[in-house]
Amino acid sequence: MVLLLRTFVKTPRQAWTMRRFYSSDITASAMVYSEYGQPSQVLKWHSYRLPALTSNTVHVKFLASPINPADVNMIQGAYPIKPTYQKLDAQDDKLLAVGGNEGLAQVIAVGDHVNELKIGDHVVMAKTGYGTWRTHAAGPASDFQLLPSADNVSMIQKATITVNPCTAYRMLKDFVNLKQGDYVIQNGGNSAVGQAVIQIAKAWGLKTINVVRNRPDIDVLRKELLDLGATHIITDEELSSHETRALIKSWVGNEKPLLGLNCVGGKSATEMARYLGENGKFITYGAMSRKPLSLPASLLIFKNMSFHGFWVSKWADIHPQEEKYQMLQDVTDLMSQGKLAEPKWTQVKWDEETMKQSVDQGISGFATGKQVVLF
Amino acid sequence: MVLLLRTFVKTPRQAWTMRRFYSSDITASAMVYSEYGQPSQVLKWHSYRLPALTSNTVHVKFLASPINPADVNMIQGAYPIKPTYQKLDAQDDKLLAVGGNEGLAQVIAVGDHVNELKIGDHVVMAKTGYGTWRTHAAGPASDFQLLPSADNVSMIQKATITVNPCTAYRMLKDFVNLKQGDYVIQNGGNSAVGQAVIQIAKAWGLKTINVVRNRPDIDVLRKELLDLGATHIITDEELSSHETRALIKSWVGNEKPLLGLNCVGGKSATEMARYLGENGKFITYGAMSRKPLSLPASLLIFKNMSFHGFWVSKWADIHPQEEKYQMLQDVTDLMSQGKLAEPKWTQVKWDEETMKQSVDQGISGFATGKQVVLF
């Protein structure tokens, strides 16, 4: 078919445009939307024939895709990255966005001119906004990021590698030059990123002070996080007390933490910032309290602290492939060595009604674990 | 005398300690304090004989010293730098702190082994906390920082060079790599630092958007700042209006400012931060509103803005002499070329009562100008 096409197609771009809409034999399904809104109201099940393979494209089948909070925000139109509206099949001209941003897929067919991927490879998405709630996808190899091969790494670990573990990895690596034995302080210690921070920090010889919200079963949580490798746990209510100040001083001595990680915001984040040492860096990657960060000028001026944000999607957009691969290699190595555990998760069934309800539920909690669709 | 001493003194340090308390013929006076409190209650006039010159010391006489807000905070014990308590004369063992941190002095005598300074040199203080409200000082050359010689630079300009112009210079230079035509946005546009920012930015080919507090005579202020070289003036009340957003967009187009300078804090500082472009840096060097800075997480995470502090005393402590001299050279050159004007100032008479009252008044306003003691 490719040979036939070449007889009347003028440019490579035209060739690509026309070729892709020859259908393959594969029937794909996807959770799609064409307008912003409440997920259960705007998400629709869409079945279509996957475009035929061309010499420059690959076919992948999805294995597992999580439902992340950002996916919900994106469907609501409340996320800075807009979905990619695309024509999914040859029979229908409608532009549709596929939900989901993170997921694991396996290469099932490779065009003649594709050298970067081979059949059987496990891949994640190269960019945020690609759409991972679908059974199959067809596209150039550059849409996908090869995962390093590694033993003893589960499908769930691979399907949830790009957001939470990579956020934790980068925040621990890119802002402060930490050395063995240094302390890091973070809130949201029991969030998915928080748990990855605890484990990666431990693997790298760093110590963590983890702030969590107080709750009736705090001792259960405390034990879980200590088991993961947390050095110390304190509750947000304890943060500003005289006793906690003395306690933290007894832990860190004169070596105050120089890195603070914040996904909460509001008053307790300010309290946490006060524990950082001179020239410390405070990185915000979330705002679970939905309250802004309040900064006394003295922390900025006299302690020379600086306040930064981190967004892994942006990081991935502006850093070269080699750096991304190195990160994925390091993180899968930690998983492979048992130093970064599979997150708690619950399976979401791949059917229209279950998906709608599950996406509405949206933000995955610690108790139930991350919602992951298995295809 | 030095030769005699050498016969029985063992180490250079001991020699120094003993030698300095041989008195010179000079009677010095200083505004001193030995406990924290309200300036007029704790400041005292102190007359004493200046220590004799030694081979490793210099004598300076002060020409002019301003009264800065930080001087008041230091006397109140509310400043992160503590005063240096010192034994000023041979006749009295009491430890005293001399008020004032900034000032211009002239070298009047130089020990045999001092090569860095010569008689007639104009100097400023090498460190914050030295004490500049005094007629004379004696000490090693390293206590003082030579000023570059320059024509057409007034004594007042030299006496007030190290805090405000140097703060403006560093903030424009050290955080963002600005190029000709780039915009900087700042609040406190009519503060002493703000005025220096306007002038240095203009000299360097940068444009400024200056936020000032609204006031009845706003047009007078507007004209003054435009005459200094400000590109645009807006009031804090206008900051969040739809019209101002459109106006600023019409000025900057797609090249949003990447540097924001804040000495106010509170709500209007947050509003100002919203005008910064992606990856912009927001530098806090004061908090005139006495309110903390409130930061929505979206500015940190999605716009990748970062928030820093600047404190010129700290900068001076950790940077080498050559860098300080280069900065003073650049700033005096701008003054010499008429690009950085003498600040408004009023003279404070050098007597006990006037000093007490003037220091109590403390913070110098734009209307009356900076208070400067002439000796």
Side-chain angles (χ1 to χ4, degrees):
Chain A
M1 192 186 302
V2 171
L3 282 173
L4 278 176
L5 270 167
R6 278 192 180 148
T7 60
F8 62 88
V9 167
K10 295 287 188 274
T11 70
R13 186 173 171 80
Q14 279 176 308
W16 158 243
T17 311
M18 301 191 65
R19 274 187 228 139
R20 72 177 300 182
F21 292 105
Y22 283 82
S23 301
S24 71
D25 295 336
I26 298 170
T27 300
S29 54
M31 287 304 288
V32 302
Y33 59 108
S34 51
E35 56 180 335
Y36 295 137
Q38 175 75 4
S40 59
Q41 284 169 21
V42 297
L43 278 176
K44 288 189 177 59
W45 186 266
H46 184 68
S47 280
Y48 59 97
R49 294 284 284 280
L50 199 68
L53 190 71
T54 71
S55 54
N56 294 308
T57 63
V58 301
H59 279 174
V60 306
K61 70 167 181 177
F62 278 83
L63 303 176
S65 299
I67 299 171
N68 283 319
D71 304 335
V72 183
N73 297 147
M74 198 185 270
I75 296 167
Q76 292 168 327
Y79 201 64
I81 295 179
K82 301 305 164 208
T84 311
Y85 288 99
Q86 52 197 295
K87 191 177 157 185
L88 287 173
D89 54 42
Q91 284 73 42
D92 190 345
D93 275 342
K94 209 169 174 189
L95 291 178
L96 297 168
V98 178
N101 288 286
E102 192 181 30
L104 172 68
Q106 184 165 32
V107 178
I108 55 171
V110 177
D112 294 343
H113 296 168
V114 173
N115 302 313
E116 304 93 319
L117 295 174
K118 60 181 193 303
I119 291 175
D121 279 347
H122 279 182
V123 297
V124 292
M125 306 308 109
K127 298 244 179 207
T128 302
Y130 184 79
T132 57
W133 298 339
R134 52 174 146 188
T135 57
H136 298 82
S142 60
D143 282 353
F144 307 102
Q145 162 73 53
L146 178 67
L147 276 187
S149 61
D151 294 333
N152 304 317
V153 179
S154 76
M155 202 166 69
I156 300 298
Q157 283 176 299
K158 290 180 183 175
T160 57
I161 197 172
T162 55
V163 177
N164 296 330
C166 290
T167 295
Y169 175 97
R170 294 254 67 98
M171 292 195 301
L172 286 171
K173 206 176 173 74
D174 293 349
F175 292 92
V176 176
N177 195 4
L178 298 167
K179 56 182 198 305
Q180 293 262 330
D182 280 352
Y183 268 100
V184 172
I185 188 166
Q186 68 165 342
N187 57 27
N190 58 328
S191 69
V193 172
Q195 292 186 45
V197 164
I198 288 170
Q199 296 172 86
I200 297 173
K202 165 138 184 167
W204 291 352
L206 306 171
K207 294 174 180 167
T208 53
I209 299 172
N210 300 279
V211 184
V212 297
R213 263 173 304 177
N214 201 7
R215 61 197 69 199
D217 60 346
I218 183 71
D219 286 338
V220 176
L221 177 60
R222 194 184 293 271
K223 182 172 182 321
E224 282 180 350
L225 297 184
L226 290 173
D227 286 349
L228 276 183
T231 317
H232 303 287
I233 320 281
I234 51 178
T235 70
D236 52 353
E237 291 169 5
E238 291 163 355
L239 255 185
S240 54
S241 78
H242 185 71
E243 292 73 21
T244 302
R245 274 197 279 274
L247 197 60
I248 291 185
K249 191 162 169 46
S250 78
W251 295 335
V252 306
N254 290 323
E255 302 281 315
K256 291 186 179 176
L258 295 179
L259 181 64
L261 306 177
N262 163 45
C263 63
V264 176
K267 190 162 165 285
S268 87
T270 306
E271 287 303 320
M272 188 174 82
R274 294 185 193 279
Y275 287 103
L276 287 192
E278 203 168 328
N279 308 320
K281 292 187 179 174
F282 188 90
I283 320 300
T284 292
Y285 66 96
M288 289 200 241
S289 74
R290 302 192 173 273
K291 293 199 180 107
L293 192 59
S294 175
L295 303 182
S298 61
L299 294 184
L300 290 153
I301 302 173
F302 300 132
K303 288 187 74 179
N304 197 34
M305 286 176 47
S306 58
F307 293 79
H308 306 257
F310 183 76
W311 188 22
V312 74
S313 299
K314 185 74 189 179
W315 186 92
D317 278 355
I318 60 178
H319 285 81
Q321 194 70 6
E322 301 76 48
E323 243 179 296
K324 282 186 244 182
Y325 191 79
Q326 181 60 53
M327 169 172 68
L328 291 169
Q329 180 77 67
D330 290 350
V331 173
T332 47
D333 281 353
L334 290 176
M335 290 172 169
S336 191
Q337 295 156 16
K339 295 178 177 170
L340 186 53
E342 182 179 280
K344 289 191 180 183
W345 66 286
T346 52
Q347 183 180 345
V348 174
K349 248 181 80 189
W350 181 238
D351 68 49
E352 183 168 11
E353 268 321 298
T354 312
M355 280 302 289
K356 284 183 175 182
Q357 298 317 314
S358 302
V359 180
D360 264 3
Q361 281 173 28
I363 298 175
S364 311
F366 180 72
T368 55
K370 188 161 285 296
Q371 300 187 99
V372 184
V373 189
L374 299 187
F375 299 94
Chain B
M1 191 186 303
V2 171
L3 280 175
L4 278 177
L5 271 166
R6 279 193 181 147
T7 59
F8 65 85
V9 168
K10 295 286 187 277
T11 71
R13 186 171 172 83
Q14 280 177 309
W16 159 242
T17 310
M18 301 191 63
R19 274 187 226 138
R20 71 177 300 181
F21 292 105
Y22 284 83
S23 298
S24 71
D25 296 335
I26 297 170
T27 301
S29 54
M31 287 305 288
V32 301
Y33 59 108
S34 51
E35 55 181 335
Y36 295 136
Q38 175 75 4
S40 59
Q41 284 169 21
V42 297
L43 278 175
K44 287 188 178 59
W45 185 266
H46 182 68
S47 280
Y48 59 98
R49 293 284 286 278
L50 199 68
L53 191 71
T54 71
S55 55
N56 293 310
T57 63
V58 301
H59 279 174
V60 305
K61 69 167 181 176
F62 278 83
L63 303 176
S65 299
I67 298 170
N68 283 320
D71 303 337
V72 182
N73 297 148
M74 197 184 271
I75 295 167
Q76 292 168 328
Y79 201 64
I81 296 179
K82 302 304 164 207
T84 311
Y85 288 98
Q86 50 198 298
K87 191 177 157 186
L88 288 173
D89 53 42
Q91 286 73 42
D92 190 343
D93 274 342
K94 209 170 171 188
L95 290 176
L96 297 168
V98 178
N101 289 287
E102 193 180 28
L104 172 68
Q106 184 165 33
V107 178
I108 55 171
V110 177
D112 293 343
H113 296 167
V114 174
N115 302 313
E116 303 93 320
L117 294 173
K118 60 182 195 301
I119 291 175
D121 279 347
H122 279 183
V123 296
V124 291
M125 306 309 107
K127 298 244 178 207
T128 302
Y130 184 79
T132 57
W133 298 339
R134 51 174 147 188
T135 57
H136 299 81
S142 59
D143 281 353
F144 307 102
Q145 162 73 53
L146 178 66
L147 276 186
S149 61
D151 295 333
N152 305 317
V153 178
S154 75
M155 201 164 69
I156 300 298
Q157 283 176 299
K158 290 180 183 175
T160 58
I161 198 171
T162 55
V163 178
N164 296 330
C166 289
T167 295
Y169 175 97
R170 295 253 67 97
M171 292 195 300
L172 286 171
K173 206 177 173 71
D174 293 349
F175 292 90
V176 177
N177 195 3
L178 298 166
K179 56 183 199 302
Q180 293 262 330
D182 280 351
Y183 267 100
V184 173
I185 189 165
Q186 68 164 341
N187 57 27
N190 59 325
S191 69
V193 171
Q195 292 185 44
V197 164
I198 288 171
Q199 296 173 86
I200 297 173
K202 166 141 183 165
W204 290 352
L206 306 171
K207 295 174 180 168
T208 53
I209 299 172
N210 300 279
V211 183
V212 298
R213 263 174 302 177
N214 201 9
R215 62 197 69 199
D217 60 346
I218 182 73
D219 286 338
V220 176
L221 176 60
R222 194 184 293 271
K223 182 172 182 322
E224 282 180 350
L225 297 185
L226 290 173
D227 286 349
L228 276 183
T231 316
H232 302 288
I233 319 283
I234 50 179
T235 69
D236 51 356
E237 293 169 3
E238 291 163 353
L239 255 185
S240 54
S241 78
H242 186 71
E243 292 74 21
T244 302
R245 274 198 279 275
L247 197 61
I248 291 184
K249 190 159 170 48
S250 77
W251 294 336
V252 306
N254 291 322
E255 302 280 316
K256 291 186 179 178
L258 296 179
L259 181 65
L261 306 176
N262 164 45
C263 64
V264 176
K267 191 162 165 283
S268 87
T270 306
E271 287 302 319
M272 188 173 81
R274 293 185 194 279
Y275 287 104
L276 288 192
E278 202 167 332
N279 308 320
K281 292 187 177 176
F282 188 91
I283 321 301
T284 292
Y285 66 96
M288 290 202 238
S289 74
R290 300 191 174 276
K291 293 200 179 107
L293 192 58
S294 175
L295 302 183
S298 61
L299 294 185
L300 290 153
I301 303 174
F302 300 132
K303 288 185 74 178
N304 197 34
M305 287 177 47
S306 58
F307 293 79
H308 306 257
F310 183 75
W311 188 22
V312 74
S313 299
K314 185 72 187 181
W315 186 92
D317 278 356
I318 60 177
H319 285 81
Q321 195 69 7
E322 302 74 49
E323 243 181 296
K324 283 187 242 182
Y325 191 80
Q326 181 60 53
M327 169 173 66
L328 291 169
Q329 180 78 65
D330 290 349
V331 174
T332 46
D333 282 352
L334 289 176
M335 291 171 168
S336 190
Q337 295 157 15
K339 294 177 178 170
L340 187 52
E342 183 178 279
K344 290 190 179 183
W345 66 286
T346 52
Q347 184 178 346
V348 175
K349 248 181 82 189
W350 182 239
D351 69 49
E352 184 168 10
E353 269 320 298
T354 313
M355 278 303 288
K356 285 183 174 181
Q357 298 317 316
S358 302
V359 180
D360 264 3
Q361 282 175 25
I363 297 172
S364 311
F366 179 72
T368 55
K370 188 161 284 296
Q371 299 187 98
V372 184
V373 190
L374 299 187
F375 299 93

